[in-house]
Every structure is written in C-alpha cells, then in structure tokens.
Coordinates of all heavy atoms in Angstrom, one line a residue:
M956 N 0.9 -1.2 0.0 CA 0.0 0.0 0.0 C 0.9 1.2 0.0 O 1.8 1.3 0.8 CB -0.9 0.0 1.3 CG -1.9 1.1 1.3 SD -3.4 0.5 2.1 CE -4.4 2.0 1.9
S957 N 0.6 2.2 -0.9 CA 1.4 3.4 -0.9 C 1.0 4.3 0.2 O 0.0 4.2 0.8 CB 1.2 4.1 -2.3 OG -0.1 4.4 -2.5
E958 N 1.9 5.3 0.5 CA 1.7 6.2 1.5 C 0.7 7.3 1.1 O 0.8 7.8 0.0 CB 3.0 6.9 1.9 CG 4.0 5.9 2.6 CD 3.7 5.6 4.0 OE1 3.9 6.6 4.8 OE2 3.2 4.5 4.3
P959 N -0.2 7.8 1.9 CA -1.0 8.9 1.6 C -0.2 10.2 1.6 O 0.9 10.3 2.2 CB -2.1 8.9 2.7 CG -1.5 8.2 3.8 CD -0.5 7.2 3.3
T960 N -0.7 11.2 0.9 CA -0.1 12.5 0.9 C -0.3 13.2 2.2 O -1.4 13.1 2.8 CB -0.7 13.4 -0.3 OG1 -0.5 12.7 -1.5 CG2 -0.1 14.8 -0.3
I961 N 0.7 13.9 2.7 CA 0.6 14.7 3.9 C -0.1 16.0 3.5 O 0.5 16.8 2.8 CB 1.9 15.0 4.6 CG1 2.6 13.6 5.0 CG2 1.8 15.9 5.8 CD1 4.0 13.8 5.5
A962 N -1.3 16.2 3.9 CA -2.0 17.5 3.6 C -1.5 18.6 4.5 O -1.4 19.7 4.0 CB -3.5 17.3 3.7
A963 N -1.3 18.3 5.7 CA -0.8 19.3 6.7 C -0.3 18.6 7.9 O -0.7 17.5 8.2 CB -1.9 20.3 7.1
K964 N 0.7 19.2 8.6 CA 1.2 18.6 9.8 C 0.6 19.2 11.1 O 1.2 19.2 12.1 CB 2.7 18.7 9.8 CG 3.4 17.9 8.8 CD 4.9 18.0 8.9 CE 5.6 17.1 7.8 NZ 7.0 17.2 7.9
T965 N -0.7 19.6 10.9 CA -1.5 20.0 12.1 C -2.9 19.5 11.8 O -3.3 19.3 10.7 CB -1.6 21.6 12.1 OG1 -2.0 22.1 10.9 CG2 -0.2 22.2 12.4
P966 N -3.6 19.2 12.9 CA -5.0 18.7 12.8 C -5.9 19.8 12.4 O -5.6 21.0 12.6 CB -5.3 18.1 14.2 CG -4.4 18.9 15.1 CD -3.2 19.2 14.3
A967 N -7.0 19.5 11.8 CA -8.1 20.4 11.6 C -9.0 20.4 12.8 O -9.7 19.4 13.0 CB -8.9 20.1 10.3
V968 N -9.1 21.5 13.6 CA -9.9 21.5 14.7 C -11.2 22.2 14.3 O -11.2 23.4 13.9 CB -9.2 22.2 15.9 CG1 -10.1 22.3 17.1 CG2 -7.9 21.5 16.2
L969 N -12.3 21.5 14.4 CA -13.6 22.0 13.9 C -14.7 21.7 14.9 O -14.7 20.7 15.7 CB -13.9 21.2 12.6 CG -12.9 21.3 11.5 CD1 -13.3 20.3 10.4 CD2 -12.9 22.7 10.9
E970 N -15.7 22.6 14.9 CA -17.0 22.4 15.6 C -18.0 21.8 14.6 O -18.4 22.4 13.7 CB -17.5 23.7 16.1 CG -16.6 24.5 17.0 CD -16.4 24.0 18.4 OE1 -17.3 23.2 18.8 OE2 -15.5 24.5 19.0
L971 N -18.3 20.5 14.8 CA -19.2 19.8 13.8 C -20.6 19.7 14.4 O -20.8 19.3 15.5 CB -18.6 18.4 13.5 CG -17.3 18.4 12.8 CD1 -16.9 17.0 12.5 CD2 -17.3 19.2 11.5
E972 N -21.5 19.9 13.5 CA -22.9 19.7 13.8 C -23.3 18.2 13.5 O -22.5 17.6 12.7 CB -23.8 20.6 12.9 CG -23.6 22.1 13.1 CD -24.0 22.5 14.5 OE1 -25.1 21.9 15.0 OE2 -23.3 23.3 15.1
P973 N -24.3 17.7 14.1 CA -24.7 16.3 13.8 C -24.8 16.1 12.3 O -25.4 17.0 11.5 CB -26.0 16.1 14.5 CG -26.0 17.1 15.6 CD -25.2 18.3 15.0
G974 N -24.3 15.0 11.8 CA -24.4 14.6 10.4 C -23.4 13.6 10.0 O -22.7 13.1 10.9
T975 N -23.4 13.3 8.7 CA -22.4 12.3 8.2 C -21.4 13.1 7.4 O -21.8 13.9 6.5 CB -23.1 11.3 7.3 OG1 -24.1 10.6 8.2 CG2 -22.2 10.3 6.8
Y976 N -20.1 12.8 7.6 CA -19.0 13.5 7.0 C -18.1 12.4 6.3 O -18.1 11.3 6.8 CB -18.2 14.3 8.0 CG -19.0 15.4 8.7 CD1 -19.8 15.1 9.8 CD2 -19.0 16.7 8.2 CE1 -20.6 16.1 10.4 CE2 -19.8 17.7 8.8 CZ -20.5 17.4 9.9 OH -21.3 18.3 10.6
W977 N -17.3 12.8 5.3 CA -16.4 11.9 4.7 C -15.0 12.5 4.8 O -14.7 13.5 4.2 CB -16.8 11.7 3.3 CG -18.1 10.9 3.2 CD1 -19.3 11.4 3.1 CD2 -18.2 9.5 3.3 NE1 -20.2 10.4 3.1 CE2 -19.6 9.2 3.2 CE3 -17.3 8.4 3.4 CZ2 -20.1 7.9 3.3 CZ3 -17.8 7.1 3.5 CH2 -19.2 6.9 3.4
W978 N -14.2 11.9 5.6 CA -12.8 12.3 5.9 C -11.9 11.8 4.8 O -11.9 10.7 4.4 CB -12.3 11.8 7.2 CG -10.9 12.0 7.6 CD1 -10.4 13.2 8.1 CD2 -9.8 11.1 7.6 NE1 -9.1 13.1 8.4 CE2 -8.7 11.8 8.1 CE3 -9.7 9.8 7.3 CZ2 -7.5 11.2 8.2 CZ3 -8.5 9.2 7.4 CH2 -7.4 9.8 7.9
C979 N -11.1 12.7 4.2 CA -10.1 12.4 3.2 C -9.0 11.5 3.7 O -8.3 11.9 4.7 CB -9.5 13.7 2.6 SG -8.1 13.3 1.5
R980 N -8.8 10.4 3.2 CA -7.7 9.5 3.6 C -6.5 9.6 2.7 O -5.4 9.2 3.2 CB -8.3 8.0 3.6 CG -7.4 7.0 4.3 CD -8.1 5.7 4.2 NE -8.8 5.3 5.4 CZ -10.0 4.7 5.4 NH1 -10.6 4.3 4.3 NH2 -10.6 4.4 6.6
C981 N -6.7 10.0 1.5 CA -5.6 10.0 0.5 C -4.7 11.2 0.7 O -3.5 11.2 0.3 CB -6.1 9.9 -0.9 SG -6.8 11.5 -1.5
G982 N -5.2 12.3 1.3 CA -4.4 13.5 1.5 C -4.4 14.4 0.2 O -3.8 15.5 0.3
K983 N -5.1 14.1 -0.8 CA -5.0 14.9 -2.0 C -6.2 15.9 -2.2 O -6.2 16.7 -3.1 CB -5.0 13.9 -3.3 CG -3.8 13.1 -3.4 CD -3.8 12.2 -4.6 CE -2.7 11.2 -4.7 NZ -1.4 11.9 -4.6
S984 N -7.1 15.8 -1.3 CA -8.3 16.7 -1.4 C -7.9 18.2 -1.2 O -7.0 18.5 -0.4 CB -9.3 16.3 -0.4 OG -10.4 17.3 -0.3
A985 N -8.5 19.0 -2.0 CA -8.3 20.5 -1.8 C -9.2 21.0 -0.8 O -9.2 22.2 -0.5 CB -8.5 21.2 -3.2
K986 N -10.1 20.2 -0.2 CA -11.1 20.6 0.8 C -10.8 20.0 2.1 O -11.7 19.5 2.7 CB -12.5 20.3 0.3 CG -12.9 21.1 -1.0 CD -14.3 20.8 -1.3 CE -14.7 21.7 -2.5 NZ -16.1 21.3 -3.0
Q987 N -9.5 19.9 2.5 CA -9.2 19.2 3.7 C -10.0 19.8 4.9 O -10.2 21.0 5.0 CB -7.7 19.4 4.0 CG -6.8 18.7 3.0 CD -7.0 17.2 3.1 OE1 -7.3 16.6 4.1 NE2 -6.8 16.5 2.0
P988 N -10.3 18.9 5.9 CA -10.0 17.5 5.9 C -11.0 16.6 5.2 O -11.0 15.4 5.4 CB -10.1 17.2 7.5 CG -11.2 18.1 7.9 CD -11.1 19.3 7.1
W989 N -11.9 17.1 4.4 CA -12.9 16.4 3.7 C -12.5 15.9 2.3 O -11.8 16.5 1.6 CB -14.2 17.2 3.7 CG -14.6 17.9 4.9 CD1 -14.8 19.2 5.2 CD2 -14.8 17.2 6.2 NE1 -15.1 19.4 6.5 CE2 -15.1 18.2 7.1 CE3 -14.8 15.9 6.6 CZ2 -15.4 17.9 8.5 CZ3 -15.0 15.6 8.0 CH2 -15.3 16.6 8.9
C990 N -13.1 14.8 2.0 CA -13.0 14.2 0.6 C -13.6 15.1 -0.4 O -14.7 15.6 -0.3 CB -13.6 12.8 0.6 SG -13.6 12.0 -1.0
D991 N -12.9 15.3 -1.5 CA -13.4 16.0 -2.7 C -13.4 15.2 -3.9 O -13.6 15.7 -5.0 CB -12.7 17.4 -2.9 CG -11.3 17.2 -3.4 OD1 -10.8 16.1 -3.5 OD2 -10.7 18.2 -3.8
G992 N -13.2 13.9 -3.8 CA -13.2 13.0 -4.9 C -11.8 12.8 -5.6 O -11.6 12.0 -6.5
S993 N -10.8 13.5 -5.0 CA -9.4 13.5 -5.6 C -8.8 12.1 -5.5 O -7.7 11.8 -6.1 CB -8.5 14.5 -5.0 OG -9.0 15.8 -5.3
H994 N -9.3 11.2 -4.6 CA -8.7 9.9 -4.4 C -9.0 9.0 -5.6 O -8.4 7.9 -5.7 CB -9.3 9.2 -3.2 CG -10.8 9.0 -3.3 ND1 -11.7 10.0 -2.9 CD2 -11.5 8.0 -3.8 CE1 -12.9 9.5 -3.1 NE2 -12.8 8.3 -3.7
K995 N -9.8 9.4 -6.5 CA -10.2 8.5 -7.7 C -8.9 8.2 -8.4 O -8.1 9.0 -8.7 CB -11.2 9.2 -8.6 CG -12.5 9.2 -8.0 CD -13.6 9.6 -9.1 CE -15.0 9.6 -8.5 NZ -15.3 10.8 -7.7
G996 N -8.7 6.9 -8.7 CA -7.5 6.4 -9.4 C -6.4 6.0 -8.4 O -5.4 5.5 -8.8
T997 N -6.6 6.2 -7.1 CA -5.7 5.8 -6.1 C -6.3 4.6 -5.4 O -7.4 4.2 -5.6 CB -5.4 6.9 -5.1 OG1 -6.5 7.0 -4.2 CG2 -5.1 8.2 -5.7
E998 N -5.5 4.0 -4.5 CA -6.0 2.9 -3.7 C -6.8 3.3 -2.5 O -7.2 2.5 -1.7 CB -4.9 2.0 -3.3 CG -3.9 2.6 -2.4 CD -2.5 2.0 -2.5 OE1 -2.3 1.0 -1.8 OE2 -1.6 2.5 -3.2
F999 N -6.9 4.6 -2.3 CA -7.5 5.1 -1.1 C -9.0 5.4 -1.2 O -9.5 5.7 -2.4 CB -6.8 6.4 -0.6 CG -5.4 6.2 -0.2 CD1 -4.4 6.5 -1.1 CD2 -5.1 5.7 1.0 CE1 -3.1 6.3 -0.8 CE2 -3.7 5.4 1.3 CZ -2.7 5.8 0.4
S1000 N -9.7 5.3 -0.2 CA -11.1 5.7 -0.2 C -11.4 6.5 1.1 O -10.7 6.3 2.1 CB -12.0 4.5 -0.2 OG -11.7 3.6 0.8
P1001 N -12.4 7.4 1.1 CA -12.6 8.2 2.3 C -13.2 7.4 3.4 O -13.8 6.3 3.2 CB -13.6 9.3 1.8 CG -14.3 8.6 0.6 CD -13.3 7.7 0.0
K1002 N -13.1 8.0 4.6 CA -13.7 7.3 5.8 C -14.9 8.1 6.3 O -14.8 9.3 6.5 CB -12.6 7.2 6.9 CG -13.2 6.6 8.2 CD -12.1 6.3 9.2 CE -12.7 5.7 10.5 NZ -13.1 4.3 10.3
E1003 N -16.0 7.3 6.5 CA -17.2 8.0 7.0 C -17.0 8.4 8.5 O -16.5 7.6 9.3 CB -18.3 7.0 6.9 CG -19.7 7.5 7.3 CD -20.8 6.5 7.1 OE1 -20.5 5.3 7.2 OE2 -21.9 6.9 6.8
L1004 N -17.5 9.5 8.8 CA -17.5 10.0 10.2 C -19.0 10.5 10.5 O -19.5 11.4 9.9 CB -16.6 11.2 10.3 CG -16.7 12.0 11.7 CD1 -16.3 11.1 12.9 CD2 -15.7 13.2 11.6
V1005 N -19.6 9.8 11.5 CA -21.0 10.1 11.9 C -20.9 10.8 13.2 O -20.3 10.3 14.2 CB -21.8 8.8 12.0 CG1 -23.2 9.2 12.5 CG2 -21.9 8.1 10.6
I1006 N -21.5 12.0 13.2 CA -21.5 12.9 14.4 C -23.0 12.9 14.9 O -23.9 13.3 14.2 CB -21.0 14.3 14.1 CG1 -19.6 14.3 13.6 CG2 -21.2 15.2 15.4 CD1 -18.5 13.9 14.7
D1007 N -23.2 12.4 16.2 CA -24.5 12.3 16.7 C -24.9 13.6 17.4 O -26.1 14.0 17.4 CB -24.6 11.1 17.7 CG -24.5 9.8 16.9 OD1 -24.9 9.7 15.8 OD2 -23.9 8.9 17.5
E1008 N -24.0 14.2 18.1 CA -24.2 15.4 18.9 C -23.1 16.4 18.5 O -22.0 16.0 18.3 CB -24.1 15.2 20.4 CG -25.2 14.3 20.9 CD -25.1 14.1 22.4 OE1 -24.2 14.6 23.0 OE2 -26.0 13.5 23.0
A1009 N -23.5 17.7 18.4 CA -22.5 18.7 18.0 C -21.3 18.6 19.0 O -21.5 18.5 20.2 CB -23.2 20.1 18.2
R1010 N -20.1 18.6 18.4 CA -18.9 18.5 19.2 C -17.7 19.0 18.4 O -17.7 19.1 17.2 CB -18.7 17.1 19.8 CG -18.3 16.1 18.7 CD -18.2 14.8 19.5 NE -17.9 13.7 18.6 CZ -16.7 13.0 18.5 NH1 -15.8 13.4 19.3 NH2 -16.5 12.0 17.7
R1011 N -16.7 19.3 19.2 CA -15.4 19.7 18.7 C -14.5 18.5 18.4 O -14.4 17.6 19.3 CB -14.8 20.6 19.7 CG -13.6 21.4 19.3 CD -13.2 22.4 20.4 NE -12.3 23.4 19.9 CZ -11.1 23.6 20.4 NH1 -10.7 22.8 21.4 NH2 -10.3 24.5 19.9
V1012 N -13.9 18.5 17.2 CA -13.1 17.4 16.9 C -11.7 17.9 16.3 O -11.7 19.0 15.9 CB -13.7 16.5 15.8 CG1 -15.0 15.8 16.3 CG2 -14.0 17.3 14.5
A1013 N -10.7 17.1 16.5 CA -9.4 17.4 15.9 C -9.1 16.3 14.8 O -8.9 15.1 15.2 CB -8.3 17.4 16.9
L1014 N -9.2 16.6 13.6 CA -9.1 15.6 12.5 C -7.7 15.6 11.9 O -7.2 16.7 11.6 CB -10.2 15.9 11.4 CG -11.6 15.9 11.9 CD1 -12.6 16.2 10.8 CD2 -12.0 14.5 12.5
C1015 N -7.2 14.4 11.7 CA -5.9 14.2 11.2 C -5.8 14.8 9.7 O -6.7 14.5 8.9 CB -5.6 12.7 11.1 SG -4.0 12.3 10.3
Q1016 N -4.7 15.5 9.5 CA -4.4 16.0 8.1 C -3.1 15.5 7.6 O -2.8 15.6 6.4 CB -4.5 17.5 8.1 CG -5.8 18.1 8.4 CD -6.0 19.5 8.0 OE1 -6.7 19.8 7.1 NE2 -5.3 20.4 8.8
C1017 N -2.3 14.8 8.5 CA -1.1 14.2 8.0 C -1.4 12.9 7.4 O -0.5 12.3 6.7 CB 0.0 14.2 9.1 SG -0.3 12.9 10.3
K1018 N -2.5 12.3 7.7 CA -3.0 11.0 7.2 C -2.2 9.8 7.7 O -2.2 8.8 7.0 CB -3.1 11.1 5.6 CG -3.8 12.3 5.1 CD -5.2 12.5 5.6 CE -5.8 13.8 5.0 NZ -7.1 14.1 5.5
R1019 N -1.5 10.0 8.8 CA -0.7 8.9 9.4 C -1.3 8.5 10.7 O -0.7 7.7 11.4 CB 0.7 9.4 9.6 CG 1.5 9.9 8.3 CD 1.6 8.7 7.3 NE 2.5 9.1 6.2 CZ 2.2 9.8 5.1 NH1 1.0 10.3 5.0 NH2 3.1 10.0 4.2
T1020 N -2.4 9.0 11.2 CA -3.0 8.7 12.5 C -3.3 7.2 12.5 O -3.7 6.6 11.5 CB -4.2 9.5 12.8 OG1 -4.7 9.1 14.1 CG2 -5.3 9.3 11.7
A1021 N -3.2 6.6 13.7 CA -3.6 5.2 13.9 C -5.1 5.2 14.5 O -5.6 4.2 14.8 CB -2.7 4.6 14.9
N1022 N -5.7 6.4 14.6 CA -7.0 6.5 15.1 C -7.9 7.3 14.1 O -8.5 8.3 14.5 CB -7.0 7.1 16.5 CG -8.4 7.2 17.1 OD1 -9.2 6.3 16.9 ND2 -8.6 8.2 17.9
E1023 N -8.0 6.9 12.9 CA -8.7 7.6 11.8 C -10.2 7.9 12.3 O -10.8 6.9 12.8 CB -8.8 6.8 10.6 CG -7.4 6.6 9.9 CD -7.5 5.8 8.6 OE1 -8.6 5.2 8.4 OE2 -6.6 5.8 7.9
P1024 N -10.7 9.0 12.0 CA -10.1 10.2 11.3 C -9.5 11.2 12.3 O -9.2 12.3 11.9 CB -11.3 10.8 10.6 CG -12.4 10.6 11.6 CD -12.2 9.3 12.3
F1025 N -9.3 10.8 13.6 CA -8.9 11.8 14.6 C -7.4 11.8 14.7 O -6.7 10.9 14.5 CB -9.5 11.4 15.9 CG -11.0 11.3 15.9 CD1 -11.6 10.0 15.8 CD2 -11.8 12.4 15.8 CE1 -13.0 9.9 15.8 CE2 -13.2 12.3 15.7 CZ -13.8 11.1 15.7
C1026 N -6.9 13.0 15.0 CA -5.5 13.3 15.3 C -5.0 12.4 16.5 O -5.7 12.4 17.5 CB -5.3 14.8 15.5 SG -3.6 15.2 16.0
D1027 N -3.9 11.8 16.3 CA -3.3 11.1 17.5 C -1.9 11.6 17.8 O -1.2 10.9 18.5 CB -3.3 9.5 17.2 CG -2.3 9.1 16.2 OD1 -1.7 10.0 15.5 OD2 -2.1 7.9 16.1
G1028 N -1.6 12.7 17.2 CA -0.3 13.3 17.5 C 0.9 12.8 16.6 O 2.0 13.3 16.7
T1029 N 0.6 11.8 15.7 CA 1.7 11.3 14.8 C 2.4 12.4 14.0 O 3.6 12.3 13.7 CB 1.1 10.2 13.9 OG1 0.5 9.2 14.7 CG2 2.1 9.7 12.9
H1030 N 1.7 13.5 13.7 CA 2.3 14.5 12.8 C 3.5 15.1 13.5 O 4.4 15.6 12.8 CB 1.2 15.6 12.6 CG 0.8 16.3 13.8 ND1 -0.3 15.9 14.5 CD2 1.2 17.4 14.5 CE1 -0.5 16.7 15.6 NE2 0.4 17.6 15.6
K1031 N 3.6 15.0 14.8 CA 4.8 15.6 15.5 C 6.1 14.9 15.2 O 7.1 15.4 15.4 CB 4.5 15.6 17.0 CG 3.4 16.5 17.5 CD 3.2 16.4 19.0 CE 2.0 17.1 19.4 NZ 1.3 16.5 20.5
S1032 N 5.9 13.6 14.7 CA 7.2 12.8 14.4 C 7.5 12.8 12.9 O 8.4 12.1 12.5 CB 7.0 11.4 15.0 OG 5.9 10.8 14.3
L1033 N 6.8 13.5 12.1 CA 7.0 13.5 10.7 C 8.0 14.6 10.3 O 8.2 15.6 10.9 CB 5.7 13.8 9.9 CG 4.6 12.7 10.1 CD1 3.4 13.1 9.4 CD2 5.1 11.4 9.6
Ligands
FES995 FE1 -8.9 12.0 -0.4 FE2 -11.3 11.3 -1.3 S1 -10.1 13.1 -1.8 S2 -10.1 10.3 0.2

C-alpha cells in the first residue's frame, strides 16, 4: 500500500454539527479534511464520520494517524 499525501502537519480543529461526513484518507483533497473525490484512481477511499451530537473534533491531516479520522499526534514525528 502506498503512503497517503501529507495534507498538513497540524490537525483540523472543527466544531461539527450532527451529520455524516467523509474524511479524506488520501491527502489529495483540496477541501481538507474532507474528501473532494481526488482519491479517484488511487487505492484510497474516504472514511465515514458520523456525528450524533454537536462537538469539537481534531481531525488528522497528516493522514498517518492510527485512530482515523482523529489526530493522534503522529504529525509531531514527521
Ligand atoms: Fe482523499 Fe477522497 S479526496 S479520500
């Protein structure tokens, strides 16, 4: 499996309303941290994120987290 693109070495901290979101796993989206379809032709696919209650999240943008789609601090070692 090839490595995803590093979109940023900082998480995207967002206040999300309830709903279904698609987190970009390939790192190529121009709408980080969300999928914009740029993964087409790669081996990556977006990850679904379901938010039940409005809350603050820190979403991984280095695409190396072990806890997708959330930041786990891995960007600090890149
Ligand atoms: Fe990256 Fe869709 S654009 S997973």
